[in-house]
Amino acid sequence: MIRIFKTVETTIQAIETFEKGCWIHVTSPTSEELHHISEALQIPMNFLTDPLDTNERSRIEVDERNVLIVVRIPLFNNEQDVAFTTLPVGIIYLDDVFLTVCAQDVEFFDKFMKGRVKNFSTQYRCRFILQIFLKAALRYLTYLKEIDTRAANIQAELHQAMKNQELIQLLNLEKSLVFFTTSLRSNELMIERLQKVSIIKFYPEDQEILEDVMVENKQALEMANIYSNILSGMMDAFASIISNNLNIVMKFLTSVTIILALPTLVASVYGMNVHLPFQESPHAFALTMGISFLLAGMSVFIFIRRKFF
């Protein structure tokens, strides 16, 4: 899908053709659409296809007149086991137009399309790049807080857990943090290199946004590292707790088995009916039951003293 936008005065409007100063947003493109854009704007085909690879890392590639910037943005999908992942977005900087290429139609760019981003204009391409980076860093921070909240909720359930479901949920959150940490680190390196690209020139009024981008990205990276370390330690601790909970249950069941085995032993012996004590007594049954309950009671007393229960 190809959508074209342009800032007219102070509003963002959708247009039908490529114009100077427009923003071209390409999502899930067909091969025909890619060839059309490549031929119309003289863009190398690999600039358009590389960002469609979900494993593409953050990087910058420069040719004679074009600049390709790949940045990884956070993505949330609650229907998947690993709900928080990242996705590459290609930013192609041309002389007259600005392109974004993404393998999926994500809501990340909705506010740009609706003109809800402060000081956003399709003509200010350098500022647009920084605004994308800033929005990505802020989105990382939002999702990191959500991951921390989910981990706290799982932690409350783990105290009584004896199954692996909660640990699997923590493992999925840890995978998300690995994705975030890797993407944030590569984004940080890419932002540093971006300042050295001669084709892209940032104006003095964009320096404040650039500083915000670097601060927010660094904060998100530190938070991801902290949460990852905490989550890793939490998983080790609660794996031991689950094992300990299972041991307690097994110890209780073993104690009950022993208690029930002693009366069963007495009853089995007296069931032989061959030269047994009290077999001539009219109180034989009562004596036998008394011995059984006495042995069971002694077992319970010993287990309580040894804190088996």
Side-chain angles (χ1 to χ4, degrees):
M1 179 185 297
I2 301 175
R3 286 173 285 182
I4 310 172
F5 302 89
K6 185 176 182 180
T7 302
V8 180
E9 295 182 352
T10 58
T11 60
I12 304 296
Q13 296 183 4
I15 59 177
E16 299 296 330
T17 58
F18 301 152
E19 297 181 7
K20 182 177 180 180
C22 70
W23 164 35
I24 305 169
H25 186 51
V26 183
T27 56
S28 305
T30 63
S31 58
E32 292 78 9
E33 290 173 336
L34 292 176
H35 282 92
H36 170 64
I37 296 174
S38 177
E39 294 175 0
L41 301 176
Q42 298 298 309
I43 301 175
M45 182 58 70
N46 67 296
F47 275 31
L48 297 171
T49 56
D50 287 354
L52 301 178
D53 181 5
T54 55
N55 296 318
E56 187 72 15
R57 62 182 178 84
S58 299
R59 62 185 179 87
I60 297 178
E61 185 174 343
V62 182
D63 66 5
E64 296 179 356
R65 56 181 293 270
N66 305 315
V67 179
L68 170 63
I69 303 170
V70 180
V71 58
R72 297 195 69 91
I73 63 173
L75 186 66
F76 173 72
N77 187 350
N78 205 27
E79 297 180 357
Q80 297 180 353
D81 292 335
V82 183
F84 300 92
T85 56
T86 60
L87 184 72
V89 171
I91 302 171
I92 304 176
Y93 183 96
L94 304 177
D95 292 336
D96 299 325
V97 298
F98 188 89
L99 278 84
T100 52
V101 183
C102 188
Q104 301 179 26
D105 187 10
V106 294
E107 51 86 27
F108 181 84
F109 290 97
D110 285 355
K111 289 187 177 181
F112 290 102
M113 297 177 185
K114 297 175 181 178
R116 296 180 181 176
V117 178
K118 185 179 179 182
N119 297 327
F120 168 64
S121 174
T122 57
Q123 278 85 11
Y124 301 144
R125 292 168 295 158
C126 296
R127 183 180 301 174
F128 192 3
I129 296 173
L130 295 178
Q131 288 172 327
I132 291 175
F133 291 160
L134 181 59
K135 181 174 176 57
L138 294 175
R139 183 68 61 88
Y140 275 114
L141 290 171
T142 300
Y143 286 165
L144 284 169
K145 293 177 182 178
E146 177 64 23
I147 290 175
D148 186 48
T149 301
R150 292 193 176 200
N153 293 335
I154 297 173
Q155 180 180 355
E157 300 174 0
L158 271 170
H159 289 285
Q160 302 298 327
M162 287 181 291
K163 297 182 179 180
N164 295 327
Q165 181 178 359
E166 289 79 8
L167 282 179
I168 293 174
Q169 293 176 0
L170 286 179
L171 178 61
N172 290 333
L173 290 180
E174 190 172 30
K175 288 181 180 178
S176 297
L177 289 174
V178 172
F179 292 147
F180 279 16
T181 302
T182 304
S183 298
L184 285 166
R185 187 176 293 113
S186 60
N187 284 354
E188 184 178 41
L189 296 175
M190 185 265 300
I191 292 171
E192 293 177 356
R193 187 185 172 194
L194 181 64
Q195 302 176 64
K196 303 176 183 178
V197 177
S198 59
I199 298 178
I200 301 176
K201 298 185 181 299
F202 294 106
Y203 296 98
E205 53 268 25
D206 297 330
Q207 290 299 319
E208 183 177 352
I209 302 178
L210 179 59
E211 293 176 2
D212 290 341
V213 169
M214 299 179 68
V215 169
E216 298 295 342
N217 195 85
K218 185 176 181 179
Q219 181 181 352
L221 179 58
E222 291 177 352
M223 286 180 60
N225 285 326
I226 292 172
Y227 290 163
S228 182
N229 292 334
I230 292 174
L231 203 58
S232 179
M234 187 188 304
M235 287 185 62
D236 293 340
F238 282 110
S240 300
I241 289 176
I242 290 178
S243 178
N244 186 59
N245 289 342
L246 183 60
N247 290 337
I248 292 172
V249 173
M250 293 302 298
K251 184 169 63 175
F252 174 79
L253 294 176
T254 302
S255 302
V256 172
T257 302
I258 294 174
I259 293 171
L260 294 177
L262 292 176
T264 302
L265 175 63
V266 175
S268 300
V269 171
Y270 273 86
M272 296 178 183
N273 297 321
V274 179
H275 303 295
L276 297 174
F278 317 122
Q279 65 179 7
E280 303 296 336
S281 173
H283 305 293
F285 178 77
L287 291 171
T288 303
M289 294 301 296
I291 293 173
S292 300
F293 286 125
L294 177 63
L295 291 175
M298 291 176 60
S299 302
V300 172
F301 176 76
I302 292 173
F303 288 150
I304 293 177
R305 287 288 300 272
R306 296 294 181 90
K307 298 181 179 180
F308 282 3
F309 293 143

